[in-house]
Amino acid sequence: DADVTQTPRNRITKTGKRIMLECSQTKGHDRMYWYRQDPGLGLRLIYYSFDVKDINKGEISDGYSVSRQAQAKFSLSLESAIPNQTALYFCATSDTLTEETQYFGPGTRLLVL
Amino acid sequence: SQKIEQNSEALNIQEGKTATLTCNYTNYSPAYLQWYRQDPGRGPVFLLLIRENEKEKRKERLKVTFDTTLKQSLFHITASQPADSATYLCALEGSSNTGKLIFGQGTTLQVKP
């Protein structure tokens, strides 16, 4: 089984809808991250969490919120989806002790119509 | 302003040759730099990490150099194979001891048989 899983893998939604992307990990890592990837722009950090009680904004957090329900679960919500949030979303984890390396999930492809 | 840049144009080489990818950065003082591989529709996978006090790191057919004076890292794949075809991302720590990575936009490598 994959160490970092994301659901759903693909999602089509309409402008104005609220949606949630979920991430689960079995690596036992304390740090979790949400990125979005757009063609030509690379990966950009949306939010990150270093433990259950620690949530931090990344460089592009506007329009997004997150919830760290447990050490193993980190959810990303789009409160009111808009077309320019169409992108590939990745969850990643890392361990405080070996903090540098990040382990990525398979991604969620989101289309906002 | 802070930037991390990789060649946006795809690199096409013949099987057996050495591929060299470049990552340049400005206005960062990273303690380390990482390289990831990303296949279409998949999450990035960690390949190598090189620290600021290391000039060179090797792993099998991969070699990474890190020049903090030039603010540049070079990523080499020797004896390249068609299976090496992918997008390669460099990443560095955006702020000291935060674990937050800043990614380049990636360079796509195509190895032709």
Side-chain angles (χ1 to χ4, degrees):
Chain A
D1 287 340
D3 294 319
V4 184
T5 57
Q6 293 183 233
T7 55
R9 294 295 314 279
N10 295 279
R11 179 74 184 268
I12 300 174
T13 191
K14 295 182 178 180
T15 296
K17 294 292 186 181
R18 182 181 189 276
I19 68 163
M20 180 183 289
L21 309 182
E22 298 187 343
C23 177
S24 293
Q25 52 113 348
T26 58
K27 299 188 73 66
H29 289 171
D30 49 354
R31 299 183 173 197
M32 298 186 74
Y33 310 81
W34 275 105
Y35 294 90
R36 68 176 278 176
Q37 188 173 40
D38 300 274
L41 293 179
L43 286 160
R44 292 182 292 166
L45 185 63
I46 306 172
Y47 271 95
Y48 61 103
S49 169
F50 285 173
D51 65 40
V52 174
K53 296 180 181 179
D54 177 75
I55 303 288
N56 304 280
K57 293 182 178 180
E59 63 178 299
I60 54 163
S61 60
D62 287 348
Y64 301 96
S65 63
V66 290
S67 172
R68 186 84 184 264
Q69 301 96 322
Q71 187 187 34
K73 296 184 182 296
F74 193 34
S75 300
L76 176 72
S77 293
L78 284 67
E79 299 301 326
S80 179
I82 56 177
N84 76 0
Q85 291 177 313
T86 293
L88 191 53
Y89 290 85
F90 288 103
C91 173
T93 74
S94 69
D95 180 11
T96 299
L97 295 179
T98 56
E99 62 191 36
E100 303 98 351
T101 303
Q102 294 190 10
Y103 298 85
F104 285 81
T108 294
R109 191 171 297 278
L110 176 65
L111 174 61
V112 183
L113 300 175
Chain B
S1 63
Q2 295 177 313
K3 288 192 295 186
I4 177 168
E5 293 180 312
Q6 298 181 250
N7 286 344
S8 57
E9 291 186 12
L11 178 63
N12 295 294
I13 64 168
Q14 207 65 36
E15 183 176 8
K17 301 293 187 183
T18 295
T20 298
L21 286 68
T22 304
C23 178
N24 295 297
Y25 60 92
T26 54
N27 294 320
Y28 286 109
S29 297
Y32 56 82
L33 190 143
Q34 303 182 40
W35 285 88
Y36 288 77
R37 169 182 172 142
Q38 186 175 22
D39 292 287
R42 294 180 176 268
V45 175
F46 171 77
L47 295 174
L48 280 169
L49 179 151
I50 186 165
R51 299 188 186 279
E52 60 181 339
N53 60 348
E54 298 174 314
K55 295 295 185 187
E56 181 179 299
K57 198 86 162 285
R58 292 176 184 261
K59 179 183 176 182
E60 298 173 351
R61 295 184 295 112
L62 308 180
K63 184 178 83 170
V64 173
T65 63
F66 192 12
D67 189 325
T68 55
T69 301
L70 291 178
K71 298 187 182 299
Q72 180 182 78
S73 175
L74 298 179
F75 177 80
H76 306 272
I77 305 176
T78 58
S80 60
Q81 304 166 0
D84 295 326
S85 299
T87 296
Y88 292 87
L89 309 172
C90 68
L92 51 78
E93 188 183 38
S95 303
S96 296
N97 300 319
T98 64
K100 287 170 54 181
L101 293 180
I102 307 298
F103 283 84
Q105 74 271 39
T107 297
T108 297
L109 172 67
Q110 187 72 35
V111 181
K112 299 184 178 180

